[in-house]
Amino acid sequence: ETDFVDVLVIGAGASGLMCAIEAAKRGRSVRVLDHANRPGKKILMSGGGRCNFTNYTVEPENYISHNPHFCKSALKRFNQWDFLALVQRYKIPFHERLHGQLFCDDSAKDILNMLLSEGRQYGAELKISCAIQQVSRAADGGFRLQTSHGGMRCQSLVVATGGLSIPKMGATPFGYQLAEQFGIQVWPTRAGLVPLTLQPVDKEVFSALTGIAVPCEVSLQNYSFRENLLFTHRGLSGPAILQISSYWQPGEPLQINCLPDMQLFKLLKQQRGQGNKLKLKTWLAEHLPKRLLQALLPEPLLECSLVDCSDKQLQQVANHIQAWHIKPNGSEGYRTAEVTLGGVDCDALSSKTMECLQVPGLYFIGEVVDVTGWLGGYNFQWAWSSGWCAGQYV
Ligand code: FAD
């Protein structure tokens, strides 16, 4: 026996819940299915438990995709101010952090409860602990699902199963597999916003720095981020590294400027000109942690007095600190990644509705789509925007 609803949404995460709310508002009968034992687990763990739910400035440049234009329409139609209005209507206390990032004051639970409450209010049904075994096209053009809760039929099927990061929280490749089942291209997936590991030789040197954070500028050829870099016992982390990790390809070196606000070479020459007798290590220690200096610069150089240094030596110091090149070994992978790069090909979808061009009635929203945001609330904003758009048409 199969029971029918207008809209089935697979995945009760950020994008799925948003889509369900909007579709239910339009009077569609909506059911959200999730195999996890509770909805919105990633919302709850996001932003260190405070959910960085959006950002005051959201631009297409904050997203990575094989089709950089695809996200524009959705981000415009339901933008950060629209989501903020919802948050304010629920009187959820929030605050701004660096770079316009908006976080809950109290708990990410506030955001999840808001979405669940909106869904309930408009009559969207939620079925958790529901495994989806099979999906097929129904004779009437809709879809037929076999699930652990029995057979179901729908007119519109929305795939909102997210990416592959944090498998412990219930991430699965379901969405990618379903896309492939329906002949939709899926770009290879890769962990993004993820700490990077070091080659064994570097690891030996830099693991002594575990716990140290330095404001840096971390760059690849075309991208650079100015944020904290954090040394961990596994390698490099902190916002600067998470951001650049989404652009990094194995084998590429990172260029790191540990004193991005200083004209170091010039300043060192000035000090020398003023007859500064301090050892380089003593003078530099006013600007950078001693242990970092020891890791970046050869010991004999650090022991030199400023007055005795040659131009070449001073240039060497500046290079080691401001153009430090390091080749990561790899990333920590999906276990600790915040997002998944790649995914369902944007060119297979309508940027207005998120519907598959070749499979009417089938929609993909959120992280499963090949749109990946920077750190800073951009991934949730994509989930809200794409979910909202699909919700207008399903
Ligand atoms: P999700 O929210 O991941 O929801 C997918 C849902 O689908 C889940 O409920 C899952 O159980 C379900 N599902 C998966 N497979 C199946 C299946 N086979 N059958 C049935 N159901 C299935 N982004 C930000 O913008 N700000 C942040 O502060 C932030 N912090 C983060 C912190 C961490 C630790 C992590 C891992 C991510 C963070 N992100 C953050 C990213 C953000 O959480 C995701 O981009 C966002 O949740 C994606 O929304 P979604 O709806 O596509 O997928």
Side-chain angles (χ1 to χ4, degrees):
E1 195 201 328
T2 57
D3 61 326
F4 180 87
V5 284
D6 295 327
V7 182
L8 276 175
V9 179
I10 307 180
S15 63
L17 293 173
M18 180 55 90
C19 175
I21 293 164
E22 289 302 313
K25 262 188 203 171
R26 290 171 43 236
R28 307 288 278 156
S29 60
V30 180
R31 183 183 301 152
V32 186
L33 309 175
D34 203 298
H35 70 156
N37 59 2
R38 60 182 302 182
K41 283 192 181 183
K42 258 192 203 160
I43 298 174
L44 292 177
M45 74 184 302
S46 69
R50 293 224 159 78
C51 188
N52 178 193
F53 54 82
T54 191
N55 195 294
Y56 274 140
T57 46
V58 178
E59 302 290 344
E61 290 69 39
N62 302 123
Y63 294 87
I64 303 166
S65 169
H66 289 87
N67 179 347
H69 304 292
F70 181 79
C71 63
K72 291 181 182 172
S73 163
L75 291 173
K76 248 190 222 148
R77 293 180 67 212
F78 187 82
N79 62 27
Q80 66 273 37
W81 308 109
D82 296 318
F83 190 76
L84 199 54
L86 183 59
V87 169
Q88 287 173 318
R89 181 149 63 76
Y90 273 76
K91 300 192 166 51
I92 295 174
F94 67 93
H95 61 278
E96 181 186 355
R97 294 193 195 163
L98 271 183
H99 313 299
Q101 305 172 62
L102 302 183
F103 284 79
C104 295
D105 285 356
D106 301 328
S107 163
K109 270 186 212 154
D110 290 347
I111 298 292
L112 179 58
N113 288 339
M114 170 185 85
L115 296 168
L116 295 174
S117 151
E118 284 282 289
R120 260 193 310 273
Q121 184 183 326
Y122 294 106
E125 189 192 339
L126 178 61
K127 266 201 193 336
I128 52 168
S129 305
C130 177
I132 290 96
Q133 290 135 357
Q134 206 178 19
V135 177
S136 56
R137 196 95 223 207
D140 63 0
F143 297 87
R144 194 182 288 281
L145 271 64
Q146 268 172 40
T147 80
S148 56
H149 287 51
M152 300 177 194
R153 275 188 321 117
C154 63
Q155 188 182 9
S156 298
L157 180 63
V158 182
V159 183
T161 45
L164 295 171
S165 53
I166 324 276
K168 263 197 213 152
M169 285 292 122
T172 71
F174 179 90
Y176 308 116
Q177 289 163 356
L178 194 78
E180 278 166 356
Q181 179 191 329
F182 284 93
I184 293 157
Q185 197 197 217
V186 176
W187 288 100
T189 53
R190 168 166 81 80
L193 298 180
V194 65
L196 299 174
T197 59
L198 293 176
Q199 319 263 4
V201 269
D202 291 326
K203 197 170 158 181
E204 214 164 286
V205 177
F206 291 102
S207 62
L209 276 62
T210 297
I212 292 182
V214 222
C216 281
E217 183 170 82
V218 180
S219 316
L220 286 166
Q221 298 89 327
N222 297 314
Y223 297 94
S224 87
F225 291 94
R226 232 193 221 220
E227 286 269 10
N228 270 343
L229 178 151
L230 175 71
F231 293 91
T232 73
H233 62 282
R234 283 189 294 266
L236 304 177
S237 187
I241 293 297
L242 298 185
Q243 296 283 35
I244 209 81
S245 74
S246 295
Y247 291 98
W248 178 77
Q249 300 287 346
E252 281 185 310
L254 299 176
Q255 184 169 321
I256 301 176
N257 183 344
C258 299
L259 288 173
D261 290 313
M262 224 180 243
Q263 289 186 285
L264 186 55
F265 179 55
K266 201 171 150 193
L267 208 62
L268 287 167
K269 278 207 298 195
Q270 251 170 26
Q271 292 299 314
R272 185 183 59 189
Q274 290 165 9
N276 192 329
K277 292 198 184 64
L278 284 179
K279 284 181 176 180
L280 270 172
K281 70 171 182 191
T282 314
W283 187 83
L284 288 168
E286 284 173 30
H287 305 286
L288 286 170
K290 274 204 179 99
R291 279 187 285 163
L292 176 60
L293 294 170
Q294 285 161 354
L296 291 179
L297 295 161
E299 181 70 23
L301 191 55
L302 283 171
E303 294 297 333
C304 278
S305 285
L306 258 161
V307 276
D308 300 330
C309 286
S310 64
D311 270 7
K312 198 179 151 198
Q313 282 174 313
L314 294 185
Q315 188 61 64
Q316 214 184 331
V317 171
N319 285 347
H320 277 115
I321 293 175
Q322 297 195 302
W324 169 33
H325 281 82
I326 185 151
K327 209 183 257 185
N329 195 31
S331 86
E332 287 186 9
Y334 293 118
R335 192 178 56 81
T336 56
E338 270 197 25
V339 285
T340 302
L341 291 147
V344 173
D345 185 13
C346 296
D347 294 345
L349 309 177
S350 153
S351 62
K352 190 174 173 201
T353 67
M354 305 296 140
E355 186 174 17
C356 296
L357 301 171
Q358 305 301 327
V359 190
L362 183 61
Y363 297 73
F364 287 87
I365 55 174
E367 200 181 316
V368 74
V369 178
D370 175 33
V371 173
T372 308
W374 288 7
L375 190 73
Y378 300 103
N379 285 294
F380 278 133
Q381 186 57 48
W382 170 247
W384 315 135
S385 296
S386 58
W388 185 91
C389 283
Q392 311 307 310
Y393 300 96
V394 287

